[in-house]
Amino acid sequence: MLANKILPLCRLATSTSLAARVAAGPSSARVTLASGRQTSLASSQVRHLYSPNDCVQKQGSYEGPGKTTVAILNEDSAGLVNMVDSYAVDGFRLNDNTKILGPCIVFPTHILGWMVEGAHDITEESLALFTILDPKLDVLIIGHGMTKVSRNPVDPRTILKMKQKGVNVEVLTTENAISTYNFLVEEGRVVAAALIPPDFVKLVDTDVIDTKERRGNLLSSKDFNFLGPNRGETILKN
């Protein structure tokens, strides 16, 4: 209780000459200043710390410049620039809900099909397009599509030849390539992603729910009947 009275009273002091002696009682608080003058404060004027009003007074503390915010880049950029929202073994889905089947090349404003079947098809010829672009790319991000650990999914000689032609290449797993591409696009970099769908994707419950929500059939399943008996289920009658 003493702290509840001391701290608010200290805020009222307009001079650094506040004396160290504070007399507190059950119904009043008395402050002695260096000049010797004493001031009495009624207990009703003492604001207690951590009262219910504290949270109300602090609600607007982060309003205005400098406020911390969170933005979903894929959603904010939908219809403006191409970002990859999700991936599967058969292709990719963009942030505007467009489904791309098979390997593809993603530019911020264009999508092209990529005639490769796997990482072994990534050669100087299959990357020839990127050597004639103007302006030159800051970086070409390749998602090789392999889930098994491989030291060199793309021939290092191919990467070296592309660098000699002025194309910087970054080879990553498809998942990491998508994340890197999205981030660089949001920064406004001149970038492209050459993506091969991964050869294996582990499904989780949220993937199934998101797909059903997108198709509008959350309450449906070929293996479960929400309105009656299910396959292989025995109905007991009294």
Side-chain angles (χ1 to χ4, degrees), residues 158-212:
T158 299
I159 299 176
L160 180 59
K161 289 180 180 178
M162 294 298 294
K163 188 173 183 179
Q164 292 172 349
K165 294 183 178 181
V167 181
N168 295 316
V169 178
E170 186 74 23
V171 180
L172 302 168
T173 63
T174 298
E175 179 181 4
N176 291 333
I178 290 173
S179 301
T180 303
Y181 165 79
N182 287 346
F183 181 79
L184 292 178
V185 166
E186 194 276 334
E187 285 192 334
R189 302 284 294 275
V190 182
V191 62
L195 304 174
I196 300 175
D199 52 18
F200 175 78
V201 175
K202 182 180 179 180
L203 292 178
V204 295
D205 292 340
T206 54
D207 295 330
V208 178
I209 293 174
D210 290 343
T211 300
K212 288 188 173 184

Side-chain angles (χ1 to χ4, degrees), residues 64-215:
K67 180 180 179 180
T68 301
T69 59
V70 177
I72 307 299
L73 301 182
N74 290 30
E75 295 179 0
D76 294 345
S77 302
L80 301 176
V81 295
N82 294 321
M83 290 188 177
V84 183
D85 206 33
S86 60
Y87 60 91
V89 294
D90 62 344
F92 307 90
R93 187 174 297 277
L94 303 184
N95 55 337
D96 62 356
N97 209 32
T98 300
K99 176 70 175 184
I100 309 298
L101 298 177
C104 63
I105 297 173
V106 184
F107 293 96
T109 56
H110 294 81
I111 303 292
L112 300 176
W114 194 21
M115 302 301 291
V116 297
E117 294 183 359
H120 58 277
D121 289 331
I122 302 177
T123 62
E124 188 178 357
E125 289 74 22
S126 65
L127 299 176
L129 167 68
F130 304 103
T131 63
I132 62 175
L133 295 178
D134 186 23
K136 291 285 187 181
L137 296 176
D138 291 338
V139 61
L140 168 63
I141 304 167
I142 297 178
H144 55 70
M146 300 174 60
T147 53
K148 293 183 180 179
V149 178
S150 177
R151 183 174 182 180
N152 293 312
V154 178
D155 192 337
R157 292 173 294 182
T158 299
I159 299 176
L160 180 59
K161 289 180 180 178
M162 294 298 294
K163 188 173 183 179
Q164 292 172 349
K165 294 183 178 181
V167 181
N168 295 316
V169 178
E170 186 74 23
V171 180
L172 302 168
T173 63
T174 298
E175 179 181 4
N176 291 333
I178 290 173
S179 301
T180 303
Y181 165 79
N182 287 346
F183 181 79
L184 292 178
V185 166
E186 194 276 334
E187 285 192 334
R189 302 284 294 275
V190 182
V191 62
L195 304 174
I196 300 175
D199 52 18
F200 175 78
V201 175
K202 182 180 179 180
L203 292 178
V204 295
D205 292 340
T206 54
D207 295 330
V208 178
I209 293 174
D210 290 343
T211 300
K212 288 188 173 184
E213 182 180 13
R214 185 167 56 250
R215 295 178 179 177

